[in-house]
Amino acid sequence: GAGVSQSPSNKVTEKGKDVELRCDPISGHTALYWYRQSLGQGLEFLIYFQGNSAPDKSGLPSDRFSAERTGGSVSTLTIQRTQQEDSAVYLCASSLFLGQPQHFGDGTRLSIL
Amino acid sequence: ELKVEQNPLFLSMQEGKNYTIYCNYSTTSDRLYWYRQDPGKSLESLFVLLSNGAVKQEGRLMASLDTKARLSTLHITAAVHDLSATYFCAVVDQAGTALIFGKGTTLSVSS
């Protein structure tokens, strides 16, 4: 696609539910990144993929968070048993290769009630 | 651990005047980015600075990088209302993968 596409754009869910956020990177981009933006913490890096591989998961806030990427394209970020502190905007970015300039999607605004 | 600090965090500007935002980072990095974010929108890339002494300009915005001082500045010339937004600097981590962001500077331009 022309840009990084994220869905849904907004998600409201009850505490304790699981949520899945989707990112469709720019066509041909091999690297994909997830970030979280919240009032208290600012913009935080979560995880990156080179192809389908995520070599370093240490940026994920807890073991309730997981991410995968299939076919070197679409990625999903899954949050299990959501908590109120998970409320944030989750941003996805992609780049042609790892370390190249990152292009950001519009984000998914997640609200946990 | 790489840390990025911006100041000021808030800047109330008068139209027509000049201002500077500062971005300091704690360890060596080979790339620094400036992004703009409008309320409810995503991050728009403004500049990427790659080397010591790099200077880039676009319209009323000029960014520079001093790698020895680990400092980048974003200079605003003759502020106009359209520049009201939040500006972030971000530095690539030592692994060359993640962007480490400052907390952002929210600019508000009034006439």
Side-chain angles (χ1 to χ4, degrees):
Chain A
V4 177
S5 177
Q6 292 187 247
S7 61
S9 54
N10 285 283
K11 177 74 176 177
V12 181
T13 193
E14 292 178 349
K15 177 181 167 182
K17 300 282 189 187
D18 297 352
V19 294
E20 194 172 274
L21 312 180
R22 177 189 166 105
C23 173
D24 200 343
I26 293 172
S27 179
H29 280 197
T30 64
L32 184 148
Y33 314 79
W34 285 97
Y35 294 83
R36 177 169 76 171
Q37 185 174 24
S38 58
L39 280 176
Q41 301 298 321
L43 269 155
E44 306 170 87
F45 168 76
L46 300 179
I47 193 169
Y48 80 90
F49 287 87
Q50 175 57 47
N52 293 333
S53 173
D56 181 3
K57 299 179 181 176
S58 63
L60 295 174
S62 77
D63 58 8
R64 295 185 294 104
F65 287 70
S66 63
E68 65 173 16
R69 188 180 186 197
T70 55
S73 181
V74 172
S75 175
T76 54
L77 178 69
T78 302
I79 310 172
Q80 294 179 309
R81 305 180 304 281
T82 52
Q83 303 293 313
Q84 286 189 330
E85 62 261 28
D86 299 334
S87 296
V89 176
Y90 289 82
L91 291 166
C92 176
S94 70
S95 63
L96 189 59
F97 299 106
L98 202 61
Q100 294 294 301
Q102 297 179 23
H103 303 265
F104 284 82
D106 287 340
T108 293
R109 184 174 297 276
L110 178 63
S111 300
I112 310 300
L113 303 178
Chain B
E1 182 190 352
L2 175 57
K3 292 182 191 269
V4 180
E5 290 189 3
Q6 282 181 244
N7 69 84
L9 298 183
F10 298 94
L11 188 52
S12 181
M13 306 190 292
Q14 287 187 331
E15 272 189 338
K17 294 202 172 177
N18 302 333
Y19 298 87
T20 301
I21 303 170
Y22 299 89
C23 174
N24 285 94
Y25 53 100
S26 60
T27 61
T28 302
S29 176
D30 60 4
R31 264 162 292 153
L32 186 143
Y33 295 85
W34 284 97
Y35 287 91
R36 169 181 170 144
Q37 187 177 40
D38 291 287
K41 302 290 186 182
S42 190
L43 296 164
E44 174 192 354
S45 178
L46 295 175
F47 302 108
V48 54
L49 301 168
L50 301 176
S51 59
N52 189 43
V55 177
K56 291 202 174 175
Q57 182 159 8
E58 180 74 32
R60 299 175 187 275
L61 300 178
M62 183 174 72
S64 64
L65 178 63
D66 180 343
T67 57
K68 293 178 182 175
R70 298 186 193 135
L71 170 69
S72 178
T73 60
L74 182 66
H75 188 71
I76 300 142
T77 301
V80 292
H81 184 73
D82 285 354
L83 293 179
S84 296
T86 299
Y87 293 81
F88 292 91
C89 67
V91 176
V92 177
D93 71 358
Q94 291 180 315
T97 53
L99 289 176
I100 308 301
F101 284 85
K103 291 194 179 296
T105 298
T106 298
L107 304 187
S108 174
V109 182
S110 58
S111 53

